[in-house]
């Protein structure tokens, strides 16, 4: 019995047949819509790295080291530092600012300051008016600070230095070093600087008060230096007299004698003893 193949033809409705040519178009449009609404996942924004603050430089001299420098002087008796935390910070700032960095330089610097001020207890020179007059100055221009900066011309030179160093508009004024120039030249330079500051409308009272003014209602001269620039005036004096350059490469009390001569202080033996007490503390840590 032969089996006859039968093809079945399924007729599609006319409406369907009409839409068939449009199917590819609909498919493309649907894909486009899907793609338009899709965006690849974005990586999460990385949090900014925290800013790295510059580390504070290690102190050249610590409070513990200063405490370890106590000793007994053959003439002056018990010696030690009487410094506040703020004073220790200021000491380190001044040492860096004026390039007093080696153990020998710091030892010699501190030895002079120790004897000049009995460890910071006498930031003003002790005496009465007749004593000051006998030495050529007054109570207002007496020794002040850790190296006992003295005389009106010394104050004027220091004030000019500070204006030149710290007031940008006065950076070009002439500083007159008292080591190499006369008092009148220093005086003229100081008043020229004040005149320029006045013409520019600058307030430089923070520095002009370094110079003693008997008519000022606020502290000036020696008292102001002792209160505001005790370490700064010592660093300044060390710098302008070239003491670092005067030190021999071999450490010792012979350097102390050279510094004492430049600082102009008496009692050289006490300054040697101060150096011998101070330097081992610093050399041990250097």
């Amino acid at each position: 019995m032969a089996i006859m193949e039968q093809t079945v033809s399924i007729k599609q409705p006319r409406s369907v047949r009409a839409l068939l040519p449009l199917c590819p178009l609909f498919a493309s449009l649907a894909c486009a819509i899907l793609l338009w609404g899709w965006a690849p996942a974005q990586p999460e924004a990385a949090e900014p790295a925290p800013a790295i603050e510059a580390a504070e430089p290690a102190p050249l001299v610590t409070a513990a080291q200063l405490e370890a420098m106590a000793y007994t002087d053959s003439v002056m008796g018990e010696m030690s530092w009487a410094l506040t935390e703020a004073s220790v910070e200021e000491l380190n700032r001044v040492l860096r600012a004026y390039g007093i960095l080696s153990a020998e330089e710091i030892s010699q610097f501190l030895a002079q300051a120790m004897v000049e001020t009995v460890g910071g207890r006498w930031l003003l020179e002790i005496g009465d008016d007749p004593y000051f007059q006998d030495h050529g100055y007054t109570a207002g221009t007496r020794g002040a600070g850790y190296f006992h900066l003295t005389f009106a011309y010394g104050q004027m030179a220091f004030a000019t230095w500070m204006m030149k160093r710290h007031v940008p508009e006065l950076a070009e004024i002439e500083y007159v070093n008292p080591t190499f120039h006369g008092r009148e030249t220093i005086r003229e330079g100081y008043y020229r600087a004040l005149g320029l500051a006045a013409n520019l409308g600058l307030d430089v009272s923070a520095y002009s008060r370094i110079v003693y003014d008997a008519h000022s209602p606020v502290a000036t001269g020696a008292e102001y230096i002792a209160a505001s620039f005790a370490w700064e005036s010592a660093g300044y004096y060390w710098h302008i007299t070239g003491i670092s350059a005067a030190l021999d490469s071999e450490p010792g009390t012979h350097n102390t004698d050279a510094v004492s001569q430049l600082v102009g202080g008496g009692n050289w033996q006490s300054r040697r003893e101060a150096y011998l007490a101070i330097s081992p503390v610093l050399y041990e840590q250097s």
Side-chain angles (χ1 to χ4, degrees):
M1 179 177 173
I3 300 175
M4 301 288 295
E5 292 184 1
Q6 186 176 9
T7 303
V8 179
S9 176
I10 301 175
K11 288 190 175 182
Q12 295 172 328
R14 184 177 299 174
S15 60
V16 174
R17 289 198 305 271
L19 290 173
L20 285 175
L22 298 177
C23 285
L25 178 61
F26 287 148
S28 298
L29 182 60
C31 288
I33 292 173
L34 288 172
L35 289 172
W36 177 75
W38 175 84
Q42 299 295 322
E44 294 184 4
E47 294 185 4
I52 300 175
E53 296 183 1
E56 287 288 330
L60 293 167
V61 184
T62 66
Q65 287 175 313
L66 291 164
E67 186 176 355
M69 294 173 187
Y71 66 101
T72 302
D73 179 84
S74 60
V75 175
M76 303 175 70
E78 298 298 320
M79 300 286 282
S80 62
W81 290 107
L83 304 178
T84 63
E85 182 178 349
S87 184
V88 175
E89 291 180 1
E90 177 67 358
L91 165 62
N92 278 280
R93 184 195 68 79
V94 166
L95 291 174
R96 292 189 184 280
Y98 290 94
I100 307 168
L101 305 175
S102 71
E104 181 68 4
E105 290 172 310
I106 298 172
S107 297
Q108 298 291 354
F109 180 85
L110 290 178
Q112 298 293 323
M114 174 68 86
V115 175
E116 287 276 311
T117 67
V118 190
R121 293 170 178 82
W122 295 351
L123 294 177
L124 284 169
E125 185 179 0
I126 302 299
D128 54 18
D129 287 337
Y131 170 84
F132 299 141
Q133 291 170 5
D134 287 344
H135 288 78
Y137 43 87
T138 67
T141 59
R142 61 180 153 163
Y146 281 94
F147 275 20
H148 279 184
L149 183 73
T150 314
F151 295 107
Y153 73 89
Q155 294 176 349
M156 289 179 182
F158 181 40
T160 305
W161 168 273
M162 293 297 286
M163 286 188 285
K164 181 179 178 65
R165 190 176 176 93
H166 296 288
V167 182
E169 297 89 342
L170 300 180
E172 299 305 316
I173 63 174
E174 180 185 8
Y175 163 74
V176 181
N177 190 327
T179 306
F180 309 110
H181 296 87
R183 301 184 181 191
E184 190 56 37
T185 304
I186 294 167
R187 177 185 175 86
E188 291 173 358
Y190 169 68
Y191 282 108
R192 278 197 301 270
L194 283 188
L196 178 58
N199 290 337
L200 295 175
L202 301 175
D203 179 8
V204 293
S205 58
Y207 307 117
S208 63
R209 285 176 63 187
I210 290 171
V211 179
Y212 178 64
D213 179 0
H215 304 291
S216 174
V218 296
T220 61
E223 289 187 3
Y224 183 64
I225 293 170
S228 301
F229 298 111
W231 282 122
E232 182 91 35
S233 61
Y236 154 80
Y237 190 84
W238 179 282
H239 175 77
I240 67 164
T241 51
I243 293 177
S244 286
L247 297 180
D248 188 78
S249 58
E250 185 68 26
T253 55
H254 62 288
N255 279 331
T256 311
D257 291 345
V259 177
S260 297
Q261 185 172 12
L262 291 170
V263 171
N267 196 357
W268 285 21
Q269 178 57 33
S270 287
R271 295 168 197 264
R272 295 185 197 105
E273 292 178 26
Y275 168 79
L276 291 173
I278 289 169
S279 58
V281 178
L282 295 175
Y283 274 102
E284 182 179 329
Q285 301 296 325
S286 65

